[in-house]
Amino acid sequence: METINEKCPFCNMSNENIIIQNKHCYAIFDKYPVNKGHMLIIPFRHFDNYFDATKEEKVSILDLIDEAKEFLDKKFKPDGYNIGVNIGKYAGQTIFHVHIHLIPRYKGDMENPKGGVRGVIPGKMAY
């Protein structure tokens, strides 16, 4: 089981970028945010597929998502959230170290948000 990859940006994250953390993961602001407050929840252990996370890691990820949401609620007061994880090249994953996107949403940030994460395939978003 690989724990650290020397070439992985998430394995070599500077402590000054970490907003919050727990035993198994940490949260940072996304370097290329799609909205104000866009955060990434990242396990400390290097692995690329969410489904390979241990039960304990998954619990830590969910706990940190909740904690990050509370942080963002206070800091930015968003009107909603999207949570997502890209698993594999064909799902859009570009950094092969598991990371969960927590994206604050704001009233009016797009014309018609109906369908939310269904928008990963734009033609399938509206139903």
Side-chain angles (χ1 to χ4, degrees), residues 3-4 7 14-15 19 32-33 40 45-46 51 58 65 72-74 80 82 89 93 100 116-118 120 122:
T3 57
I4 292 180
K7 295 179 181 177
S14 168
N15 284 339
I19 309 298
Y32 306 101
L40 301 177
R45 181 171 71 90
H46 183 87
F51 296 108
K58 287 178 181 173
I65 288 171
L72 293 169
D73 282 349
K74 290 177 186 166
N82 293 115
K89 176 181 174 182
Q93 188 172 6
I100 292 80
V117 296
R118 293 176 55 93
V120 296

Side-chain angles (χ1 to χ4, degrees), residues 4-22:
I4 292 180
N5 179 318
E6 291 179 12
K7 295 179 181 177
C8 173
F10 294 158
C11 287
N12 297 288
M13 184 58 57
S14 168
N15 284 339
E16 67 189 30
N17 293 326
I18 295 175
I19 309 298
I20 50 177
Q21 67 181 54
N22 62 23

Side-chain angles (χ1 to χ4, degrees), residues 10 12 22 31 44-45 67 69 75 82 95 107 115:
F10 294 158
N12 297 288
N22 62 23
K31 189 174 179 180
F44 287 111
R45 181 171 71 90
E67 194 174 335
K69 187 250 184 214
K75 188 164 180 72
N82 293 115
I95 296 178
K107 182 179 178 182

